[in-house]
Amino acid sequence: MTVLPHDYTDCDLKHSMGGPGGAASMHGPRHVNMLAQAILVLVAIVLSFALFLPQSSSTLWSRSFSASHISDILARFSPDFPAEELNLIAPVSDVFTSNGRTDQVQWDNYSLVLQGQRVLIYSGEFHTFRLPVPSLWLDILQKVKAAGFNAVSVYVHWGLSNPAPGVVDFNDWRSLQPLFDAALAAGVWVVLRPGPYINAETTGGGIAHWVSSQVAGTLRTNATDYQAAWQDYIQGIISQTAPNQITAGGPVIAVQVDNEYFQSGFGNAQYFAQLEAAYHNSAIVVPLTYNDPGEGKNFVNGTGAVDIYGLDSYPQGFDCSHPETWSPVVTNYHDYHEGTNPSQPWYFPEFQGGSFDPWGPSAPGYANCRELTGPNFQSVFYRQLWASNAKLMSFYMFYGGTSWGGLPFPGVYTSYDYGATIQESRELTTKFTEVKFQGIFLRSSPDFVKTDWIGNSTSGAVRVTNPAAFVTLLKNPDTGAGFWIVRQTDSTSTALTTFNITLTTSAGSITLPQTTPNITISGRQSKVFVTDYHYGSAGFILFSTAPIFFAGRIGNRDVLYFTADRGEPNELGFSHSTRVDFGFPEGVIAGGPFSVSDDSDSLMLVSTSATASTFFTPVLAGTGPHANYWQIGTNTTVLVGGPHLVRNATLGADGTLALFGDLNSTTTIQVIGPPQMTAVTFNGLAVTKDTGATNSLSRFPGTFVGHLNLTLPPLPQPSLVWKFQDSLPEVQSGFDDSSWVVANHTTTNIPFKPFYGDGRILYGCDYGFCENIVLWRGHFTATGQEISANLSINGGEAFAASVWLNSQFLGTSFGNSSNNRHVLEETDDKFTFPSGSLVPGADNVITIIQDNMGLNESGSTPNTIKSPRGVRGFKLNTGTFGTWKVQGKIGGYQNFPDRTRGVLNEGGLFGERSGWHLPGFDTSSWTTRDISTGLPNSQAGVGFFVTTFDLNIPDNLDVMLSFTFDQTSQPYRALLFVNGWMMGKRVANLGPQFKFPVHKGILVYNGLNTVAVALWVLEDVAVTPSLSLTIDTILVGGSGPVTYNNPGFSPQGRQT
């Protein structure tokens, strides 16, 4: 580390806060008098507006009194009035817009304003329905907060909450209250996105399945029957949300209307207007927002316009096959905003945080997606949003979770890991480190919340010596703080670029670097230089090319923590003479952090970014309902380095700082806190202070260094002993289907009509069976001339359907996908009858077992959601079918018995209908058979394998577990049930998923567990599946106790 000489004193630093260049002390009485007179003139103008234009909109006020207009007024009154003194009257320009329903959420062209304070929203997407253990939602939100983020964006799934007409169910994991409670506890705002349509790679895009068959009108329009269909659900959303708005002390600050839609379609705008009217005629008072799928300017103005418009953007697309290949950054974001909604803050409701992964043997997998959208992507593309002057940003996904049961739409498999910042297992990734650097910097930089876009190095607003470097300048109009966002002009480049830059500061211009020949920026890297940067109580940086990790007030000291890595020269200046006070031409050594300035009222730390990545900035709660919210309820924080995760902190009256978090190794813990902090505990255990190390970090009170030791107990893996029972009695002679539903409809609201047949409609949803496996039985009296049947079967991408004549297996139709190419969502096959399989003169039965992979999402034609899952064509080579019967999950969507796990958990297999997958079902009479032996006689069919085992995992451990199948390609499909929850669908002939994470709360960590596998063999061959319980991660810590809700077997409502 090289530290250049400097001679500034505490007095110098304090003097610098008097204003740029000490301006406040440099102007005489004439300027003071002129300023007073100018303010009087301005007040008179404001009063005139108030008296004569009482109905003028907030937008008019904000435009009339922008900083530039005030500057013009003052300049006309006094031509020699110093522009830099404008910061003395900055609050006059802060006149905000609202929706007229609350003043607790307002906005202007710069930012959102919550309870009178400007707030930059840095958010991540999280779907509670993809983690059906409410006790774990706090875990995710604490990790969001630990990354420096202050909000989450949350889809709500209509189909799960409104499973049948007139049934609205916000109980158990469908309830929103645990989410709102966890958000308050973590200090995280919520933007609620309840659709009705949400997309989200979920079945029907979230539209309730029953709607697809019961609504005749076009979905997502103002069709009367569609409007009637969503009313109960939206009223349920209102009931759940209204008491949890910010106005009631809750976390909800906005509600999104539907999702990624177009204003121009027939009935589309009116549909939005209907939804908005439902909210406006309720207790919902927070703003209504919208997310445009492209730069289409939808719902900015006109019918259906929302309060705050936003743009979704996924610049890398959704093919992770070549994660090293980038598309370049989008460069017109700022211009688009200025041409679309310049009076509103720039909002990205969804920006790419990963990618979904499709079915197929060539699917790249989520590891590739995490690389494609990894730390380098986040560094360049997220800061490009900053450079466009965006002040509300949410990244889709922050935690993806699991599309368990029938949640997925046909294009994706069970895992919804998404390559997100947090893995499906809930473990942190390298992406977390990068967004934490960003989130903590933004939280540390209140000047950044309000900035003007000045220009960039292409426009001439910024001077750089190398055109390969691209720099955008944002500047706070009140304080003069400048933010210089640097990347390579070719954002896809992997080469190292060097350049010099001229920064404009309150003390004049300065060309950097001064201590080395060049500034360097690596390929696929972005940085932020700052000028006239204020922090804490009196902290001031004139300029810095060093990345700032943290800046703020801790106790009675202004604390600055910046990084200096090898190969990246950095310089900082703190005085007003444009000199370099600290230079790091070669970076710093590993370890630290090192104090470069350690005084009673200030502390400056530097380290490598690797060391800084171990630090967290938990807040200390204030008072009131928003006690845990930075800016609103508290401005008190501490710096904690070392642990794998720091979840929260509390400072006791006795001076003990109680920290809670996770450990994955023995580590040193370093704390910068208030001076009254005298001791530290971690997860309730006292930490012994290392006095020497403490004094090396800082010699002033409020510093603590100690050591955390990690000792893990042995965790034996259970051996799985399986019981077996056949689960396809429907193909046996004499099977009684008299209780099944007769499929005799001749009309349907599904617009995709049968290809051939006799006019009967064989679509499962028309009979109440919309999800998962459905069985069909077609009866006919044989003459002996029948030799084949043609069947057109629709199950969605990657489906399968196996067919029997009586007890004779005829074959399987395979839907297909290969990385979203060669997609086959329906088949049309001829099934030839083997000799001897037909019984002339008697009742013969064609049995079809068909997997429904979910309903399609909405394309440009909304009714694509009305997917024709079932049999679209049926005919014998001669003769006709008699009765058709259909059976899906027991009770259909109206009367399914498992109300806890919900409408999408089960399908129509005999074992599912009988409850074999549920804890407590008696399998003592079943055959012992290992799952690796497959089905008896190497035949196609379906069998249930059930095992039970105990776990005994200590409560202080957060152990992340998965069930792992064999990775071989074999002709079988398997449904994985864990304590009754369908947590995985393995398609071994197609892939790619073979590993299925299952969380505590589904798995019982201290007790008995039941695991069932429904094995569907697709051909008359031997299959050899394997399944084991594997440990992915062991952490000491976790977010607290987990409540189990795994109802056991009951014969009520079940097939006997």
Side-chain angles (χ1 to χ4, degrees):
M1 176 179 72
T2 302
V3 181
L4 298 182
H6 58 277
D7 57 3
Y8 66 84
T9 65
D10 289 344
C11 181
D12 293 326
L13 284 175
K14 292 173 183 176
H15 176 74
S16 73
M17 295 303 296
S25 62
M26 293 173 61
H27 299 286
R30 176 178 178 272
H31 287 94
V32 174
N33 291 335
M34 295 291 285
L35 175 61
Q37 295 175 46
I39 292 175
L40 287 174
V41 171
L42 188 61
V43 169
I45 295 172
V46 172
L47 290 174
S48 297
F49 268 86
L51 289 171
F52 297 109
L53 292 174
Q55 302 302 317
S56 60
S57 70
S58 302
T59 302
L60 174 63
W61 285 81
S62 64
R63 290 176 179 171
S64 299
F65 295 102
S66 65
S68 61
H69 283 88
I70 294 172
S71 179
D72 290 343
I73 293 170
L74 295 178
R76 291 173 184 174
F77 190 86
S78 175
D80 59 349
F81 182 80
E84 63 268 23
E85 285 195 3
L86 192 59
N87 60 14
L88 295 176
I89 59 168
V92 177
S93 67
D94 290 339
V95 182
F96 306 124
T97 299
S98 76
N99 61 3
R101 297 173 65 81
T102 178
D103 62 0
Q104 293 203 33
V105 185
Q106 298 174 294
W107 60 91
D108 63 5
N109 57 310
Y110 291 109
S111 72
L112 203 65
V113 178
L114 301 180
Q115 296 183 345
Q117 296 197 50
R118 290 193 181 278
V119 175
L120 185 148
I121 297 297
Y122 220 48
S123 169
E125 187 81 16
F126 167 47
H127 302 157
T128 57
F129 58 83
R130 285 189 160 114
L131 180 60
V133 184
S135 301
L136 292 177
W137 299 349
L138 180 60
D139 173 69
I140 301 302
L141 297 188
Q142 287 177 337
K143 289 167 179 172
V144 169
K145 184 66 172 288
F149 282 41
N150 61 356
V152 287
S153 174
V154 180
Y155 274 145
V156 186
H157 198 292
W158 178 11
L160 293 169
S161 305
N162 184 196
V167 179
V168 177
D169 181 1
F170 283 101
N171 297 308
D172 304 305
W173 54 271
R174 291 167 294 277
S175 174
L176 298 180
Q177 195 58 53
L179 167 69
F180 299 145
D181 293 343
L184 280 174
V188 173
W189 302 112
V190 174
V191 175
L192 199 68
R193 308 205 296 159
Y197 180 81
I198 61 172
N199 202 69
E201 289 74 58
T202 187
T203 177
I207 299 285
H209 282 176
W210 59 268
V211 173
S212 71
S213 64
Q214 292 203 22
V215 171
T218 301
L219 307 183
R220 303 183 75 194
T221 70
N222 64 339
T224 302
D225 55 351
Y226 178 64
Q227 181 186 14
W230 54 255
Q231 286 289 343
D232 286 347
Y233 167 66
I234 291 298
Q235 291 305 316
I237 289 291
I238 291 169
S239 177
Q240 290 268 303
T241 306
N244 291 284
Q245 298 173 98
I246 183 175
T247 52
V252 179
I253 58 172
V255 174
Q256 181 176 296
V257 178
D258 204 75
N259 188 81
E260 295 182 335
Y261 208 32
F262 305 99
Q263 197 170 11
S264 59
F266 180 79
N268 293 11
Q270 292 76 15
Y271 164 50
F272 265 52
Q274 289 172 344
L275 286 167
E276 290 159 9
Y279 290 121
H280 289 158
N281 291 326
S282 77
I284 297 297
V285 298
V286 295
L288 302 181
T289 67
Y290 163 73
N291 60 331
D292 204 333
E295 296 182 357
K297 302 184 179 182
N298 291 287
F299 299 107
V300 177
N301 300 295
T303 302
V306 295
D307 297 317
I308 301 176
Y309 167 90
L311 174 69
D312 288 357
S313 184
Y314 291 82
Q316 297 306 328
F318 302 101
D319 186 351
C320 305
S321 299
H322 304 286
E324 72 286 349
T325 302
W326 276 13
S327 297
V329 297
V330 178
T331 58
N332 76 328
Y333 285 146
H334 174 260
D335 291 343
Y336 175 74
H337 174 233
E338 290 298 301
T340 301
N341 62 327
S343 64
Q344 298 174 2
W346 191 206
Y347 179 27
F348 284 88
E350 293 181 30
F351 191 83
Q352 187 157 24
S355 173
F356 63 83
D357 193 48
W359 292 100
S362 62
Y366 284 121
N368 275 23
C369 295
R370 188 164 283 110
E371 179 183 351
L372 175 67
T373 62
N376 290 341
F377 169 83
Q378 293 170 313
S379 174
V380 174
F381 283 77
Y382 292 8
R383 289 187 178 90
Q384 178 70 8
L385 299 183
W386 303 5
S388 74
N389 219 13
K391 294 297 187 273
L392 294 89
M393 294 157 276
S394 189
F395 303 105
Y396 189 105
M397 298 288 298
F398 197 88
Y399 171 74
T402 305
S403 290
W404 56 278
L407 271 174
F409 96 115
V412 296
Y413 46 90
T414 301
S415 176
Y416 200 67
D417 179 276
Y418 214 79
T421 295
I422 304 175
Q423 292 183 50
E424 181 182 6
S425 65
R426 297 180 294 107
E427 173 61 310
L428 306 179
T429 71
T430 56
K431 295 176 67 169
F432 183 85
T433 300
E434 172 59 32
V435 295
K436 184 174 71 170
F437 277 116
Q438 297 178 18
I440 292 176
F441 169 78
L442 292 174
R443 202 191 83 177
S444 299
S445 307
D447 284 347
F448 190 79
V449 184
K450 181 182 180 182
T451 58
D452 288 322
W453 189 90
I454 304 302
N456 55 46
S457 49
T458 299
S459 69
V462 179
R463 286 184 289 170
V464 293
T465 57
N466 185 350
F470 187 90
V471 184
T472 301
L473 172 59
L474 305 178
K475 196 168 186 179
N476 186 296
D478 301 333
T479 68
F483 299 89
W484 310 68
I485 301 169
V486 185
R487 61 171 170 85
Q488 295 203 26
T489 302
D490 177 4
S491 58
T492 70
S493 171
T494 58
L496 183 74
T497 293
T498 60
F499 64 97
N500 293 358
I501 186 171
T502 300
L503 302 180
T504 55
T505 75
S506 58
S509 297
I510 179 171
T511 298
L512 298 176
Q514 294 187 359
T515 60
T516 58
N518 297 294
I519 297 172
T520 64
I521 185 165
S522 300
R524 302 186 173 185
Q525 180 188 39
S526 181
K527 297 180 178 180
V528 180
F529 302 160
V530 299
T531 52
D532 295 297
Y533 180 89
H534 304 82
Y535 68 94
S537 175
F540 178 76
I541 303 172
L542 184 67
F543 63 85
S544 173
T545 61
I548 295 172
F549 172 67
F550 170 84
R553 188 78 170 170
I554 299 180
N556 56 7
R557 293 201 288 181
D558 291 336
V559 178
L560 176 68
Y561 187 168
F562 55 92
T563 63
D565 287 331
R566 294 285 186 178
E568 297 184 12
N570 294 293
E571 297 173 331
L572 302 90
F574 299 94
S575 65
H576 287 278
S577 61
T578 66
R579 67 187 176 207
V580 175
D581 293 309
F582 288 119
F584 300 90
E586 299 178 0
V588 297
I589 62 175
F594 307 100
S595 59
V596 294
S597 176
D598 185 16
D599 297 308
S600 61
D601 58 358
S602 68
L603 174 66
M604 296 184 189
L605 302 171
V606 64
S607 75
T608 63
S609 58
T611 295
S613 71
T614 70
F615 274 78
F616 296 85
T617 57
V619 304
L620 301 180
T623 59
H626 296 116
N628 296 308
Y629 286 80
W630 186 253
Q631 290 184 253
I632 305 301
T634 178
N635 285 312
T636 307
T637 188
V638 294
L639 262 175
V640 183
H644 180 66
L645 174 69
V646 178
R647 297 177 179 273
N648 53 52
T650 303
L651 183 63
D654 63 350
T656 298
L657 182 69
L659 300 172
F660 292 88
D662 297 348
L663 292 179
N664 63 353
S665 64
T666 294
T667 188
T668 297
I669 186 169
Q670 304 182 76
V671 182
I672 303 295
Q676 64 268 35
M677 181 192 74
T678 56
V680 171
T681 64
F682 191 83
N683 292 344
L685 300 178
V687 182
T688 301
K689 187 174 185 177
D690 184 330
T691 303
T694 298
N695 292 335
S696 294
L697 180 61
S698 174
R699 55 194 173 90
F700 289 93
T703 308
F704 186 99
V705 178
H707 304 285
L708 300 173
N709 295 316
L710 179 69
T711 302
L712 296 176
L715 295 176
Q717 291 180 271
S719 58
L720 305 181
V721 179
W722 298 93
K723 291 297 194 78
F724 171 79
Q725 182 77 346
D726 177 74
S727 184
L728 195 60
E730 293 90 349
V731 301
Q732 301 303 318
S733 61
F735 178 80
D736 181 6
D737 62 12
S738 60
S739 65
W740 287 26
V741 177
V742 176
N744 58 2
H745 294 185
T746 57
T747 61
T748 181
N749 288 322
I750 295 172
F752 307 98
K753 305 308 178 185
F755 293 129
Y756 53 85
D758 58 14
R760 282 179 287 182
I761 306 296
L762 304 187
Y763 297 163
C765 216
D766 279 335
Y767 302 97
F769 307 122
C770 300
E771 46 273 329
N772 300 320
I773 290 175
V774 176
L775 288 90
W776 302 88
R777 282 168 60 84
H779 295 255
F780 65 95
T781 302
T783 64
Q785 301 302 308
E786 297 85 358
I787 60 173
S788 65
N790 285 73
L791 297 171
S792 179
I793 304 172
N794 182 299
E797 182 177 343
F799 88 101
S802 295
V803 181
W804 282 258
L805 170 61
N806 300 323
S807 61
Q808 182 68 53
F809 177 64
L810 301 183
T812 295
S813 287
F814 291 94
N816 198 12
S817 173
S818 183
N819 194 16
N820 277 341
R821 300 178 182 90
H822 312 295
V823 172
L824 190 64
E825 71 169 16
E826 62 185 15
T827 56
D828 190 7
D829 291 330
K830 180 178 180 179
F831 294 89
T832 302
F833 301 160
S835 175
S837 60
L838 201 66
V839 183
D843 181 38
N844 291 257
V845 182
I846 293 283
T847 301
I848 305 168
I849 174 173
Q850 169 232 328
D851 202 354
N852 181 346
M853 303 298 288
L855 304 187
N856 293 342
E857 294 181 315
S858 172
S860 57
T861 304
N863 274 350
T864 55
I865 295 169
K866 298 181 178 183
S867 307
R869 300 291 184 250
V871 182
R872 293 193 69 183
F874 57 91
K875 65 180 180 180
L876 298 167
N877 69 296
T878 183
T880 60
F881 278 97
T883 301
W884 276 94
K885 293 289 193 76
V886 61
Q887 179 65 60
K889 71 166 172 287
I890 196 76
Y893 60 66
Q894 289 277 9
N895 299 305
F896 60 95
D898 192 344
R899 294 287 161 169
T900 297
R901 298 176 183 88
V903 67
L904 297 183
N905 188 61
E906 297 176 7
L909 290 175
F910 186 89
E912 293 177 282
R913 305 197 310 265
S914 302
W916 294 353
H917 58 296
L918 296 170
F921 184 86
D922 184 7
T923 61
S924 60
S925 63
W926 289 19
T927 303
T928 299
R929 181 182 182 88
D930 193 77
I931 195 171
S932 64
T933 62
L935 299 186
N937 304 317
S938 301
Q939 291 183 334
V942 180
F944 253 71
F945 292 83
V946 176
T947 187
T948 60
F949 57 89
D950 286 299
L951 290 176
N952 185 21
I953 298 175
D955 291 338
N956 69 324
L957 298 185
D958 191 359
V959 180
M960 299 167 190
L961 300 171
S962 294
F963 287 90
T964 304
F965 284 89
D966 58 284
Q967 299 184 44
T968 57
S969 177
Q970 301 185 63
Y972 76 81
R973 302 166 82 92
L975 305 180
L976 172 67
F977 292 92
V978 180
N979 291 322
W981 300 79
M982 192 210 292
M983 296 306 297
K985 180 182 289 187
R986 164 79 169 132
V987 180
N989 65 300
L990 197 57
Q993 189 174 7
F994 61 90
K995 186 175 184 179
F996 298 85
V998 179
H999 303 286
K1000 183 179 183 180
I1002 302 298
L1003 271 169
V1004 179
Y1005 275 29
N1006 298 98
L1008 183 66
N1009 292 273
T1010 299
V1011 173
V1013 175
L1015 180 65
W1016 175 3
V1017 180
L1018 304 167
E1019 298 175 4
D1020 279 337
V1021 297
V1023 297
T1024 57
S1026 64
L1027 182 65
S1028 60
L1029 182 63
T1030 55
I1031 297 173
D1032 300 323
T1033 303
I1034 303 176
L1035 300 173
V1036 173
S1039 59
V1042 170
T1043 299
Y1044 297 97
N1045 192 10
N1046 302 326
F1049 171 77
S1050 169
Q1052 185 175 0
R1054 290 290 169 185
Q1055 177 176 271
T1056 57

